[in-house]
Amino acid sequence: MTSHTELRHARHPATGLVRGIYVPRGADAAASAMTTYGIPLLVLATTGSTGLTGLAFALEWIPRLAAFAVAGTMVDRYGTTTVFRLASLARALLVLAAAVLLSSWTGVGPTATVTVMVLAALTGVLTECSYIAAETAGAEASRRAGDRAHKVQSVLLGIDQTATLAGPLAAGLLLEWGGPAGMLVTLACCSLLGAALAPRQPQAPKKSTGPAAGGLRTGWTTLRSLPALAWMVTGLVVSNFAAGLLQAAMPVIVVNQLGRSSADAGLIWSAAAVVSLLALTAARTAIDRWGLWPVGAVAATIAAAATLAVTQAHTYTGYLVLIAVLTGGEGALSVVLRTLRSQLIPPAVFGSTLSVTVLVLLLPFPLAGLLVAAVPPAMFGHVITGAAVLQAVGLAAAFTRLRALRTPTA
């Protein structure tokens, strides 16, 4: 029997997507961006320690990577609506409790330090659970959209990029003018909005059994059984390593080597986010005209060429422009990946397979950070050049295989 939700989506697809997918995704993306960038700022403001700030960043990401092992299984087992709502609600309650505790104490002490460090770890886990649920709901909307799948994915990416652009700025301003409580209460409001408008699942989830590791194995097996998706992920893993090196090395390059301020370093990512938004719009139109594979190949070429050119940049303006071009190419590649992912992964195991793909794609970032920490700054240019060559080879191999496979979506 057709549900009221499905009938509403069929009669008013745009309205259904806005209310059922885009608005809750926007609320969650805002909360996620404020969590990712705002919690380390909160730790610095509370403890005054740069070491603890770096540790807080690690405490956010290590549990996040571990959470992918269970988040996908939970989504497949209990459904997107339940997981999204509970994760958003738990995050709201957690940050509100932290706001109350931090407001009750003055000065820096061990209790305040423990509070913000625990907050960093737990919000990281909850944020990934809500992200996997939101991404699964977006993939289902893409499948229902048929030939318009890439348009749905470009809107979702636009929402994420807008949150990435505005979230860090909002967190910094709220922390400066409203203190920890102001930032945390705003974060809680975004989480509560997401919980209230949790995306509706059009059909009941299939009740699966088995431990989280079983879900992870299922996702890995599914990924390996889809050659087109596996090659796309492989190419992006190599590309993400190069991007991670640039991201980790950027403060040293901009501040120490180019002699600019930390504000100038932040401006680079804001400019990159704007270019990425423009690239998403261009990619959507280009895919309509030329198809998924040609657009992906051009985007891969642009990203690899920009990374190679960054090593030759000796001015701040050149660095800013090239990072923006690189981010634009990566944005278009993300549309291709998400469209392939939504169309190729079976719905019954989407959450588990999504968890595996995201986990694999994120692993290069901590590895890149460790490499940057181990290499002298004078060697950054050589290391990034080597990574750029690997990126070009990896993306070329991936899209050559994609063309040979001749997937229906390509």
Side-chain angles (χ1 to χ4, degrees), residues 84 98 193 277 306 336 376 404:
F84 185 90
L193 178 61
L277 284 171
V336 176

Side-chain angles (χ1 to χ4, degrees), residues 246 301-311 321-327 388 391:
L246 286 172
T301 302
I302 292 173
T307 307
L308 281 168
V310 162
T311 61
V321 170
L322 289 171
I323 291 293
V325 172
L326 167 62
T327 307
Q391 177 190 33

Side-chain angles (χ1 to χ4, degrees), residues 129-151:
C129 288
S130 65
Y131 169 77
I132 292 295
E135 190 72 357
T136 303
E140 177 60 34
S142 294
R143 281 191 289 271
R144 292 198 302 270
D147 293 339
R148 298 177 61 254
H150 61 281
K151 295 184 178 180

